[in-house]
Amino acid sequence: MSAQSVNWPPPSSSAAPPPPPLPLLLLLCLAGWHGALGLAPVPLRNVSVDVGDNVTVVCSNEGRAQIFGTSNKITWIREGREDGQSKRLTVEPSGLLKLINVSRFDTGDYYCTLDDDAVRDRISVQVRTPPPALHNVWVKPSTILANILWEVAGTGGYPIIDFTAEYRLKPSPGDEADDWKPIIPTHIPPNSRQIDVYHLEPNTTYSFRVWATNQLGRGDIVEVEGHTHHSVEELELARHLLAGVENFDTRVWVAAVGIVMGTLMVLGFGTCYLLYRECKAPCVSFRCFLLNLSAAGGAGSD
Ligand SMILES: *[C@@H]1O[C@H](CO)[C@@H](O)[C@H](O)[C@H]1NC(C)=O
Ligand SMILES: *[C@@H]1O[C@H](CO)[C@@H](O)[C@H](O)[C@H]1NC(C)=O
Ligand SMILES: *[C@@H]1O[C@H](CO)[C@@H](O)[C@H](O)[C@H]1NC(C)=O
Ligand SMILES: *[C@@H]1O[C@H](CO)[C@@H](O)[C@H](O)[C@H]1NC(C)=O
């Protein structure tokens, strides 16, 4: 019996494990330090709320939705804001954290302590908003058309439904600005990252604005300027191209397709007829063809 206990653990595994590498040690140190502060062991929970709504969060004890007794002092702290706690953070007598009429600035991590002791719960509050302003909005002007391009910086928490773009003449100083004109289509699909504007005047400065919309509403608007080119040749070319775009008539298409299909059908019928005649004249020619083939094969193998 005693020999058995001496042999445990077995000799093969009795060799000391290699010391952990230095970075791991550092990490362990950090974790220990965080543990002492009570930050590491408590997992972060996500709570999402629409901008303008109220949210109430329970300080739950390690996942158990337990509301501590009123005899306990529950403190809620916003991480990174330990110095100046936001006035918007209110704690109800029962210890619930309540955020009223949340704004995007309430997005952040909060934690609660019980009797100023260890951290009991951590939540990450995500405030969903209309989409933020689009990134890198710019205009590629030509003579009488312009191409507006943009990038998406974020959705605000809900998928983007569509984009909207508008334009107007840039008012000269002292003049009253025109109304914004919509750029067609008015609902630009959410996967688009550019739109063309037609019917501009050459050598003219325009303002363009564009924004994204999600289910919470229209996002921040970005406004840019563009000055159309002046070039006679380019102007003519653009007018020509545009005329094609504008006056494009589906009937022309249908006629063209009809002519092509008609030609193909006539050719097809002709071929059928020829084949039919060929077959009626008994298959002499076909046999000749086969004979020729085998003759050629025989010659090849010789
Ligand atoms: C919380 O949200 C973040 C992204 O905002 C995500 O990476 C993480 O997995 C979420 N955690 C849980 C527990 O859902
Ligand atoms: C949020 O709470 C405030 C005060 O308690 C109340 O007046 C308001 O109606 C609430 N808003 C919503 C959207 O419930
Ligand atoms: C909510 O906050 C916004 C600004 O963040 C303010 O304009 C609005 O009046 C507030 N609404 C209520 C009901 O307090
Ligand atoms: C473009 O417009 C400016 C004033 O808006 C004018 O001075 C200039 O001559 C114009 N250029 C051409 C090539 O027409």
Side-chain angles (χ1 to χ4, degrees), residues 108-122:
D109 295 348
Y110 299 77
Y111 64 87
C112 58
T113 62
L114 186 63
D115 296 330
D116 294 326
D117 194 21
V119 170
R120 292 302 162 137
D121 201 2
R122 296 173 68 220

Side-chain angles (χ1 to χ4, degrees), residues 33 97 115 146 198 250 263 286:
W33 182 67
L97 165 70
D115 296 330
Y198 303 106
T250 43
T263 314
F286 186 60

Side-chain angles (χ1 to χ4, degrees), residues 51-54 88 100-106:
V51 68
D53 276 359
N54 301 334
R88 315 189 10 75
I100 294 166
N101 187 18
V102 297
S103 77
R104 65 181 74 206
F105 305 109
D106 292 321

Side-chain angles (χ1 to χ4, degrees), residues 139 141-143 201-206 208 225-230:
V139 179
S142 168
T143 42
E201 292 297 322
N203 191 23
T204 309
T205 305
Y206 286 92
F208 304 89
E225 273 178 20
H227 186 85
T228 49
H229 301 172
H230 186 94

